[in-house]
Amino acid sequence: MTWTALIICSHLTLLLMILETGHTTDNNTRGLAATAPGDIIIGGIFPVHTTVEKRKDGSYEPYPLPCIKFKKKALDMVLAMINAIEVMNKSPLLTEVNVTLGYRILDSCADVSTTLRATADFMGREGSNTSTSRQPIMAVIGPSHSGTTIAMARQLTLRMIPQISFSATAVTLSDKTRYPAFMRTVPNDKHQTAAMVRLIKTYDWNWVGIITSDGEYGRSALELFVTQALKNKICVAFSSVLPNPENSPDFKNDIKQAARAIRTNINAKVIVSFARTDQMTLLYQELKDQTLREGKEVDSMRRVWLASDSWSSSSSVTGNLTLKDIGDVVGFTFKNGNVSSLIEYLNRLEAAGHQHTGNNSFLQEFYQQLNNSNFSTDTELVSEAVRVLKKEINNDTVFSLEMALSAIAHAVASVCRSRDCKTPGSVQPWEVLEALKKQGFKYGGKSYNFNEEGDLLLGYDMNLWRSDGREIHINEVVAEYDLLTNNFTYTNHSTTQQLMKLKDIKSKCSNSCVPGEIKKTAEGQHTCCYECINCTANHYSNETDMDQCLRCDTETEWSSERSSVCTPKTLTYFSWDDSFAVALVTFTALGIVLVLMVSALFLHQRDTPVVKAAGGPLSQVVLFSLIVSYISAMLFVGQPNSPQCKARQVLFGISFTLCVSCILVKTLKILLAFQFNPELQEVLRRFYRPYVIVSIIVALQIVICVCWMVLDGPVEMIISNSNSNIRLEQCAEGSVVAFWMMLGYIAILAFVCFVCAFKVRRLPQDYNEARFITFSMLLYLISWLIFIPVYKTSPGKYQSAVEMVIILISNYGILSCHFFPKCYIILFKKEKNTKSAFRKNLYEYSNKTSDCVSVSGCSGSEFQSSSQLVTISALSLSVSADHPLKPAVVTDSRDTNTPVHPCRRRHKGSDTGHCLRRSISM
């Protein structure tokens, strides 16, 4: 028995030696791990170390490289997964189906090759140094980085092993045709970059720099950010891609170039960073070194740093710098949750002591690192370890990790309700994947579902780093970003006030162009680098930094140069409250009153010689036409409308034609009496019908006006000059040809009157009708000749005033020349308004003419004219117009009963003159 025992002991010793050797080899190849048994094994992979050692021996042997640079935050992730699984195993969700979860957690070392080795381990492949009897992995949690996650996802897809990441955000992982087994509890980078762009837009920044890591995550984020930034008119001043420090020999040079780009682009006050924690640490240190070498203050490197989820929770990146040195840091993190369960787990760990590491080699290594600090007791060692781990907790990471495990637990429970999952091989990974995709899960009292891309769209928390002088606080959420509305909801009033101060920071290539200006970008420059130019007249810009001016509606609006709004144009016309209009209306009203007074006076004195000499009934027709003409003049005042526009021209044209035609008849009467020989006179006498002539003349004007109104009559219109702030409302005369035909017709009549009256202008002075006709028609013709250029050159509304003035001049000319002298005689020279006085005047004028003939001091023409003037209708005062050529005699005023034949006073020997007895009434 003794030998037997000895032999057995020897074999056991040998076996232990072999196992120890195998363990050493396994450690060298597989690295550290944390494991626990269970019915369903969940794999976990975290970057417990941040990199691997470089090959130094030049060997090409495919052996695993040792992992270096222990990462305490990753150990928190490992412990969070272990704690979450232990909590789930105790929950009714799994106890009801009598299933427990186990785990196998490996280290990715943030290295793709190491990650692929771990993937082979999870899949139980040959060459992974795993026992063939070990339980298969049903699902995998992790890794953290997008690069390693993509490498692992491609492998796990071969077995359709579900993989849920808690922090990998590359957009490409949402492609279910390439990664059908991949899911995640965080949004992809498309939403994070959108949130950053939204924040930049909110704070009116448009000139930013970008720092990103080299790799799938960094380059994808860079591409997404630039695309979304350009859509929102945000320009990238520079972009620097930082490689992994351990994998690039030129990493230090890349860091220097990135720091130099930040310092030289002084207008880019906002830096967006998708870099890793270690890269940001080195970048901040390089910025400090360059600043000090140039002899500047450290705070000259201050910027606003928009930190992505890759480093927004790592305050250690500042190194020995403070927030006063680097500026403001606004971090974007995934949604935070309650980490009290993890805190309790760490407290239990502290109570158990450092020996209670179980099969967690990561925790053992951490204790060993701390033990090098020579803690006096194990209690102090564990307490320090727990303190450090609590400080390194990232709430958002723990929350996302626990949600991933909750989703897997619900999927496992769903599958195991219909079968006995304790039997090996009873559950396949693809069944767990199917359950994950088809049903939701609950966590923290809320229900969640993965979308079609396998993502949970929970949004982001935004935090603002703050310092109390000793340490930096980063976990205080100041706003929440909603992915559906693309808006921020601010949650902390006091911190929000500090956040709002960032609006005072200007991060622009060029100063903003204020309303009234637009941006002008030089060819080849960024669209954010520009100069501001003023909007021209009738153009405006009503927002800041507009690319082009908007045009005003020049029909109704206007704007001066550099305007931000269009101003409605002022509607103007020749209004009643215009001082010039008031004056003209006053003169018009006065004219009407004077006409009415003259008309009344003439009616009262209708049987007197003066009234009869003025035309008798025709004078009343003339006065009536003047009243209508005055009324038409008043229609040129006030806001025009189409009926008014038509009425004013028609009334004036017809009324003044009537007036001039009556005067023309009077002129023709004089002309017929004194300028034609007896034979021609006899012929014309037959055609001389005053009222018929007046009717025909007026009828022709009516025809012109009717055709004008029907074909193209005056209408109300609004004229808007693009270079003026006024809209002119006035009458458009329609057919210009018809308008000038109407006026030209009157002008022709006036000219005929003028010519005829001028020929017979030498009547006795007190009764010289032809002289006044000549003057009034001359005044009319001159005023309308002046009207043409003045009307064409008059500004705006005063065109109506010009025509009104000409009408008043014409009316007053006729009133003054034709009626006022006669009114003067009627009122103030009554002794001359008698038949005897009239005869005496003719008799004296006849004697003057006779004397002129006796002394041969008069020319033949003067003699003839004078003789005719004496012979003119002395008794026309008593002859009716119905007998215009009835013979009359002139009575010597010295003997009222002795008729004197006009021919008797002629020179007997004269053969140049002959006597025509005419009595055409004047």
Side-chain angles (χ1 to χ4, degrees), residues 701-764:
Q701 184 68 289
I702 291 174
V703 170
I704 293 175
C705 290
V706 169
C707 293
W708 182 16
M709 297 301 114
V710 172
L711 298 178
D712 188 10
V715 292
E716 172 262 340
M717 68 174 296
I718 296 178
I719 299 175
S720 183
N721 190 331
S722 60
N723 297 321
S724 172
N725 62 343
I726 292 176
R727 298 174 68 210
L728 176 62
E729 188 171 11
Q730 64 179 13
C731 292
E733 304 304 343
S735 174
V736 178
V737 174
F739 172 67
W740 290 109
M741 280 182 65
M742 180 199 74
L743 295 179
Y745 183 70
I746 299 174
I748 291 172
L749 295 176
F751 183 73
V752 172
C753 286
F754 169 74
V755 172
C756 294
F758 183 78
K759 289 186 176 182
V760 292
R761 65 189 181 280
R762 296 184 179 181
L763 285 171

Side-chain angles (χ1 to χ4, degrees), residues 203 205 304 328 330 464 497-506:
Y203 285 85
W205 300 322
V304 175
D328 299 286
V330 180
L464 179 65
Q497 295 295 325
Q498 184 179 356
L499 188 65
M500 290 302 170
K501 293 181 179 178
L502 297 180
K503 286 190 173 183
D504 298 333
I505 295 174
K506 303 296 182 183

Side-chain angles (χ1 to χ4, degrees), residues 790-815:
V790 174
Y791 181 82
K792 291 296 184 181
T793 58
S794 295
K797 63 182 180 180
Y798 290 108
Q799 280 190 343
S800 296
V802 170
E803 189 168 356
M804 187 176 180
V805 168
I806 300 302
I807 292 174
L808 291 180
I809 291 175
S810 302
N811 290 351
Y812 272 105
I814 293 175
L815 190 62

Side-chain angles (χ1 to χ4, degrees), residues 46-47 71 73-78 80-81 141 143-144 165-168 185-186 309-314 333-339 342 392-405 443 461 475:
F46 303 94
K71 185 178 181 180
K73 283 185 180 294
L75 179 57
D76 269 332
M77 300 177 195
V78 173
M81 179 175 174
I141 302 294
S144 300
S165 176
F166 52 88
S167 62
T185 54
V186 292
D309 59 89
S310 60
W311 66 280
S312 58
S313 299
S314 302
T333 64
F334 305 121
K335 299 297 291 185
N336 289 331
N338 191 343
V339 296
L342 178 59
E392 295 292 333
I393 291 176
N394 283 344
N395 292 10
D396 57 334
T397 303
V398 173
F399 177 71
S400 298
L401 184 59
E402 290 180 351
M403 288 191 70
L405 287 164
Y443 176 76
D461 288 337
N475 290 325

Side-chain angles (χ1 to χ4, degrees), residues 94-122:
L94 295 182
T95 57
E96 289 177 358
V97 295
N98 193 27
V99 172
T100 58
L101 300 178
Y103 55 84
R104 180 170 180 77
I105 302 175
L106 302 179
D107 186 4
S108 70
C109 302
D111 176 65
V112 174
S113 298
T114 305
T115 300
L116 290 176
R117 294 180 188 279
T119 305
D121 183 286
F122 289 150

Side-chain angles (χ1 to χ4, degrees), residues 33-263:
T35 61
D39 300 320
I40 302 294
I41 303 300
I42 308 299
I45 182 165
F46 303 94
V48 180
H49 296 83
T50 60
T51 188
V52 294
E53 287 185 354
K54 296 181 180 179
R55 292 178 179 270
K56 297 180 180 180
D57 55 3
S59 172
Y60 294 99
E61 181 183 354
Y63 60 86
L65 298 174
C67 299
I68 57 176
K69 296 184 179 180
F70 190 86
K71 185 178 181 180
K72 296 183 284 293
K73 283 185 180 294
L75 179 57
D76 269 332
M77 300 177 195
V78 173
L79 298 178
M81 179 175 174
I82 295 172
N83 174 63
I85 290 177
E86 291 180 359
V87 171
M88 288 294 175
N89 285 335
K90 297 176 183 178
S91 68
L93 179 67
L94 295 182
T95 57
E96 289 177 358
V97 295
N98 193 27
V99 172
T100 58
L101 300 178
Y103 55 84
R104 180 170 180 77
I105 302 175
L106 302 179
D107 186 4
S108 70
C109 302
D111 176 65
V112 174
S113 298
T114 305
T115 300
L116 290 176
R117 294 180 188 279
T119 305
D121 183 286
F122 289 150
M123 297 175 69
R125 290 179 177 175
E126 295 182 2
S128 62
N129 297 309
T130 61
S131 173
T132 57
S133 62
R134 184 161 51 82
Q135 290 175 268
I137 302 296
M138 291 294 107
V140 175
I141 302 294
S144 300
H145 303 131
S146 294
T148 54
T149 301
I150 290 171
M152 175 175 267
R154 289 170 176 163
Q155 298 298 314
L156 295 179
T157 296
L158 299 177
R159 300 280 183 88
M160 295 303 285
I161 299 175
Q163 175 189 8
I164 303 181
S165 176
F166 52 88
S167 62
T169 57
V171 176
T172 186
L173 289 168
S174 295
D175 184 357
K176 295 300 104 177
T177 59
R178 300 170 62 187
Y179 309 102
F182 177 79
M183 307 172 81
R184 54 186 161 196
T185 54
V186 292
N188 64 43
D189 283 330
K190 176 177 64 178
H191 302 291
Q192 180 174 221
T193 54
M196 289 179 168
V197 169
R198 177 64 176 173
L199 180 67
I200 293 171
K201 190 71 174 177
T202 300
Y203 285 85
D204 198 26
W205 300 322
N206 68 0
W207 190 240
V208 301
I210 301 180
I211 303 295
T212 185
S213 60
D214 192 10
E216 189 68 32
Y217 167 78
R219 293 191 177 275
S220 174
L222 174 61
E223 180 181 354
L224 287 169
F225 180 84
V226 171
T227 301
Q228 296 181 14
L230 291 177
K231 290 180 180 179
N232 288 271
K233 299 181 179 180
I234 299 170
C235 299
V236 177
F238 66 90
S239 61
S240 297
V241 180
L242 303 179
N244 191 317
E246 287 74 23
N247 298 336
S248 174
D250 295 329
F251 176 76
K252 290 184 178 180
N253 185 52
D254 293 333
I255 289 289
K256 289 181 180 179
Q257 291 181 0
R260 191 175 299 110
I262 293 173
R263 297 186 64 256

